[in-house]
Amino acid sequence: MRFMGAERVEQAAESCAALLRTVVGEDWENTKAGGLEWSCRFTATHIASDFIGYASNLAGRAQSSYVPFDITVDGAEDGLYRADNAGLIHVVTTMGALFAATLRTTPREVRAFHPYPFRSANRDGFAAMGIAEALLHTHDIAQGFGVPYEAPAELAEYVLTTIFPAVQPGPAPWPTLLWATGRGELPGRARVTDWRWSNNLVLPTEHLTLEGVTPAAAADLQAGGDGGFDWVEDGPFDGTRAASGMMVKAYEAGVHRPEFGVYVLVRREDGRAIGGMGFHGSPDGDGRVEVGYDLAESARGRGHATQALRALAEWALAREDVTSVFATIERDNLPSQAVVGRSGFTLVSEAGEQGEMLAYERRG
């Protein structure tokens, strides 16, 4: 799956600029942007500020806070720095170009600070957030001036499948994104009054990183792609593709909880993906959640699965809604039984008609 974030940011910046050019002669300073308290001028400046702010966090590898700066659009009406409406459109497209250039030069494994919800985002997440800011606030500005605006469907879909993993797909991506952000209605769904986007969860271990899979990446893995990861030669294994397919079904049904989805195991030493691990769904009414995993054959026998399973189980059991993590393993799969044993699981029962499956559990 080729990274398309930079190209899509450029598309979003141009989509915004195209709308702004249609109202370039209007009074931006004294017109409110849709349902916001901001003026249309402030809203356009905000789009530009988001572009360069996200670029700065990625380029500076910020880890604990935003890079502490802001942009100021010069208000002079003459001289070299003319900041009339046309000048502000130029600022938006320029900041979009700088953001796209940063995305193109940021390695896949880099994560930088963003507060919600897990304190970091990768380049896909930052790209999707920047696109969302541009499209949604362009919509707000268009509403302020009473002119129509419809964002490109592929951009809205990119945003939804990257940072809105818990939002069930609707009849079309753009109306769904408007609904998900409290800006529109969808038949059969209650209006949204409070919303947040959600970047993927990452769990670090000594030798591995467990990277949460987005719906976009899961769909690509299910279809035979790489999900945007750099896999070892014999990966991904069949189980990872099957689990990704299950996650896609849950997403399409509107029951997917992203933190209880699929994780790809990435080696720290070289950034190569070696396997998948994740949950079969959300915790049940008793707080029990099932976990499964697989590794590419070339990565087995090195303790990777044990390290990853310990980390995932400990993360789950630290939550208030999880009381136990269990796994079912074939009776003749001795290596996998050893993995769960080393990870703190104990044998609790036999399963299957002939007792061919063993159930293991780890409790909080």
Side-chain angles (χ1 to χ4, degrees):
M1 183 172 78
R2 188 169 76 88
F3 174 62
M4 294 291 293
E7 290 91 336
R8 285 170 174 149
V9 163
E10 290 170 333
Q11 282 181 269
E14 181 51 40
S15 178
C16 172
L19 182 282
L20 295 180
R21 292 185 192 110
T22 67
V23 293
V24 70
E26 302 291 339
D27 182 0
W28 292 15
E29 189 65 62
N30 295 301
T31 303
K32 283 179 56 177
L36 305 180
E37 293 301 318
W38 300 343
S39 71
C40 289
R41 181 178 176 85
F42 183 91
T43 304
T45 304
H46 176 77
I47 295 170
S49 180
D50 281 331
F51 281 159
I52 197 62
Y54 290 156
S56 298
N57 266 32
L58 278 175
R61 308 296 194 259
Q63 295 301 304
S64 59
S65 65
Y66 291 115
V67 178
F69 82 102
D70 201 357
I71 66 169
T72 300
V73 178
D74 196 320
E77 291 298 325
D78 54 15
L80 294 176
Y81 304 105
R82 184 175 176 83
D84 57 7
N85 293 346
L88 184 48
I89 295 171
H90 193 193
V91 173
V92 169
T93 56
T94 300
M95 297 303 103
L98 291 172
F99 184 26
T102 302
L103 290 166
R104 287 193 173 93
T105 56
T106 299
R108 190 206 65 78
E109 65 274 11
V110 168
R111 296 188 72 84
F113 172 80
H114 189 275
Y116 191 82
F118 303 118
R119 309 294 290 178
S120 72
N122 60 11
R123 64 186 186 185
D124 268 306
F126 274 105
M129 289 187 291
I131 294 166
E133 294 281 3
L135 302 184
L136 294 170
H137 288 318
T138 301
H139 164 82
D140 297 334
I141 293 170
Q143 274 199 323
F145 289 117
V147 297
Y149 173 71
E150 181 166 353
E154 66 272 18
L155 298 186
E157 183 176 19
Y158 179 74
V159 171
L160 288 167
T161 58
T162 303
I163 58 173
F164 286 90
V167 172
Q168 183 179 17
W174 178 232
T176 303
L177 182 57
L178 291 177
W179 170 82
T181 57
R183 289 170 166 84
E185 306 279 353
L186 277 186
R189 301 193 193 185
R191 187 174 181 88
V192 172
T193 57
D194 186 32
W195 62 274
R196 292 273 192 173
W197 54 49
S198 179
N199 284 291
N200 64 328
L201 174 62
V202 168
L203 300 175
T205 72
E206 183 179 1
H207 301 295
L208 300 170
T209 301
L210 283 71
E211 299 191 18
V213 172
T214 64
D220 187 66
L221 284 165
Q222 179 191 28
D226 58 18
F229 295 90
D230 181 16
W231 289 87
V232 292
E233 291 75 9
D234 53 341
F237 212 62
D238 293 344
T240 299
R241 297 199 187 280
S244 297
M246 292 171 57
M247 180 179 146
V248 169
K249 288 182 179 179
Y251 169 67
E252 292 175 343
V255 297
H256 174 54
R257 288 179 60 185
E259 65 270 36
F260 289 103
V262 178
Y263 295 79
V264 167
L265 313 184
V266 179
R267 287 191 305 224
R268 286 177 174 268
E269 64 184 46
D270 59 3
R272 304 293 297 278
I274 61 171
M277 182 174 290
F279 301 99
H280 290 196
S282 303
D284 64 17
D286 296 321
R288 300 175 74 237
V289 64
E290 184 174 2
V291 67
Y293 53 88
D294 72 0
L295 291 180
E297 291 187 6
S298 62
R300 297 175 184 174
R302 294 172 172 81
H304 294 317
T306 299
Q307 189 174 118
L309 183 56
R310 282 176 182 163
L312 194 59
E314 288 168 2
W315 171 84
L317 291 168
R319 297 174 56 92
E320 293 184 356
D321 55 350
V322 177
T323 59
S324 67
V325 181
F326 72 99
T328 55
I329 301 171
E330 294 176 351
R331 182 180 290 276
D332 59 357
N333 189 345
L334 300 181
S336 192
Q337 293 171 36
V339 167
V340 295
R342 290 192 297 267
S343 302
F345 288 67
T346 57
L347 179 64
V348 292
S349 66
E350 296 181 356
E353 293 182 1
Q354 305 298 323
E356 69 274 14
M357 302 295 291
L358 303 177
Y360 289 81
E361 185 179 46
R362 176 172 171 175
R363 300 189 64 84

